Each structure stands twice: as structure tokens, then as C-alpha cells.
Amino acid sequence: MAALTSLSGLALKIASTTSTDTFDLANTPANAISAAVEGGFQAEFNEIIRITLVVGGGKLCRGKYDQDAFKAVRSALQACGYLQDTEGGNEMEGGAFKSHHDTGKNLKTVVVFTKVKKSNEDGGGG
């Protein structure tokens, strides 16, 4: 992870994540969400980590979330080179995200599988 010193707040928390984690974006405006997600996911991680971003909910908690939260997250992730996985199956490759509606908790989330640093052992240079 590069340039963590230039990050703060949510972006720093995301970029510093070393294991599965969840970040609730309640009461965060869309422009702040975009900045935090772009900052947090800009660098590659040491391993694939599942990071869940809560972007909305059902009738009882819908008002806590910016109506454009999902769009802000999607656009920021795509700007960082992440691909939206609409069919499933790209989790193990990293660099993908998918939207999810957890009906048990009545929350709308975006699940991100982080991009991983490429090792120098992969290419033989031949």
C-alpha cells in the first residue's frame, strides 16, 4: 500500500485493512464517499481481502444513507480499476466488487475483493 500518509479518515481505514471488515457509510454524503473509496482502494493490497461497504437499507434505515451512495461507490471503484462482478466467481482473482442485499439484516451492501500486488516471481521475463 503506497502513500498511506496522504490518506485520512475512512480512506485511511480502508487502505489499512488487513482482514475482512465492514464499513457503514450511513450519514456520509456521496462526494465524501467517492473520495474515501477512491483513496482507500487506489493502492493494491498484500492479499485479497473482503471489504463490505454498507450503502443503504430498508424502510427503517433508508434515511441514514445518501440516495447516491451506491453510485458513488461503484464509480469510485471503477475509477480505481475494479470490475463489477454481476455473475459471481471473480472473488478469488481480486479486483472485483458486487452489490448485495442482505435480506436478513435488511441492508444493501457492496462487497469488494481487493486488488493484490503482483509478485516479481510471476513473470520470467523471457
Side-chain angles (χ1 to χ4, degrees), residues 47-123:
E47 62 183 314
I48 296 174
I49 301 170
R50 177 187 168 131
I51 297 176
T52 303
L53 305 171
V54 181
V55 295
K59 208 183 324 184
L60 298 176
C61 65
R62 187 175 299 143
K64 294 181 188 178
Y65 297 92
D66 189 302
Q67 66 182 9
D68 292 326
F70 172 73
K71 292 178 191 175
V73 168
R74 181 183 61 206
S75 295
L77 287 171
Q78 288 173 335
C80 292
Y82 283 77
L83 301 174
Q84 186 168 3
D85 181 3
T86 56
E87 299 175 7
N90 290 337
E91 297 90 10
M92 299 314 294
E93 297 174 23
F97 68 96
K98 59 185 173 182
S99 59
H100 179 71
H101 185 182
D102 185 334
T103 55
K105 295 179 184 175
N106 205 14
L107 294 175
K108 293 181 181 179
T109 62
V110 175
V111 181
V112 183
F113 298 92
T114 60
K115 292 191 295 186
V116 179
K117 294 178 185 174
K118 304 281 188 258
S119 70
N120 293 335
E121 300 171 11
D122 288 348

